[in-house]
Amino acid sequence: MNAELLRIGDDIVAMHAVVTDEGVTLIDAGLPGDRRILQQALAAAGRSVSDIRGVVLTHGDSDHIGVAEWLRSEHGVPTYVHEADAGRAQGEKTPSASGGAMRLGPTLQFFAAALRRGGLRPKHLGEVRTVRDGDVLDLPGSPQIIGMPGHSAGSIAIRVPAVDAIFVGDAITTRHVLNGSSDVQVGPFSDDPDATPGSLERLRALPEREIVVGHGPIFHGTAAEMLAVLKR
């Protein structure tokens, strides 16, 4: 099967598309104002929104659900989220975790991007399909669900061997949105950051060589190599 990984957005907030002969799976959904950049990225790959078969969320935070409700309500695209984060994605639960230490420049960049891309007006989902640890979804790329509680109770990693990648959402970051640090580290705004390193151990033996985060550049290496440099 031919498969391509598209990165859409930037190191502040990104979503990703797995593009195959069977269609497109969107991993996370950016910010609400990201419709145009999604459409442009798909068009550059010879695809369109009509090729998206599903959105899979690494967790239910507002900077990951972005365009998912637009895709669901206007294009019939289902969104999949772990059952423990379904309420979060639908606006029934509000995260309250601290972001940690800040630096003025990176913090302003993050909030400016959120403002420009509609992040202050989140579009929560009217309907979701729930997943559990161990599920393999009938979507392009056959994404595999790995439970990763820590950032949120329903955080997951999404393994897609077809593009040699594991998507970890905000379990880790390679660009801290509040202080600009490029260290590989546990993501900010985590409900239970002490649980995340243990959850990441579930990935250690996997062979994929792209660890894809929601904020920051892709980590080029295996999960074991990523764990070796993780700042705790």
Side-chain angles (χ1 to χ4, degrees):
M1 176 180 65
N2 294 319
E4 177 186 3
L5 174 60
L6 297 182
R7 182 172 174 81
I8 304 164
D10 52 33
D11 287 346
I12 298 176
V13 178
M15 56 180 150
H16 297 83
V18 176
V19 180
T20 78
D21 298 336
E22 301 168 347
V24 175
T25 296
L26 197 63
I27 308 293
D28 287 326
L31 291 163
D34 286 348
R35 298 182 190 183
R36 180 174 295 179
I37 62 171
L38 172 62
Q39 291 168 320
Q40 290 172 339
L42 291 174
R47 301 303 180 94
S48 70
V49 167
S50 65
D51 293 306
I52 300 175
R53 303 291 178 256
V55 179
V56 189
L57 301 178
T58 57
H59 60 292
D61 282 352
S62 60
D63 56 343
H64 290 255
I65 64 174
V67 299
E69 176 59 14
W70 167 66
L71 290 171
R72 185 196 72 83
S73 61
E74 296 192 22
H75 298 278
V77 178
T79 292
Y80 300 79
V81 63
H82 190 278
E83 57 188 2
D85 260 27
R88 202 163 175 141
Q90 293 180 284
E92 298 168 4
K93 298 179 181 179
T94 304
S96 57
S98 169
M102 301 181 186
R103 288 176 53 223
L104 182 60
T107 299
L108 287 177
Q109 274 190 304
F110 176 57
F111 283 104
L115 179 63
R116 185 176 67 253
R117 295 162 61 184
L120 302 185
R121 301 181 303 279
K123 305 295 184 184
H124 292 104
L125 282 144
E127 181 182 327
V128 297
R129 298 185 185 182
T130 58
V131 300
R132 295 181 178 181
D133 179 42
D135 287 350
V136 178
L137 304 184
D138 185 20
L139 291 173
S142 301
Q144 303 172 18
I145 306 303
I146 302 170
M148 294 274 293
H151 184 75
S152 66
S155 286
I156 58 174
I158 303 163
R159 182 188 183 200
V160 185
V163 291
D164 198 29
I166 304 170
F167 302 84
V168 298
D170 290 358
I172 62 168
T173 183
T174 56
R175 184 196 185 281
H176 195 296
V177 295
L178 298 183
N179 62 40
S181 170
S182 59
D183 289 334
V184 177
Q185 60 198 291
V186 173
F189 303 107
S190 292
D191 290 352
D192 188 0
D194 292 337
T196 297
S199 290
L200 288 167
E201 286 292 333
R202 303 193 66 200
L203 309 180
R204 182 179 289 277
L206 298 179
E208 283 73 28
R209 297 198 57 81
E210 303 283 353
I211 308 300
V212 186
V213 301
H215 307 281
I218 293 171
F219 179 86
H220 301 292
T222 64
E225 292 168 335
M226 179 269 293
L227 286 165
V229 298
L230 178 65
K231 299 280 186 178
R232 306 196 180 197

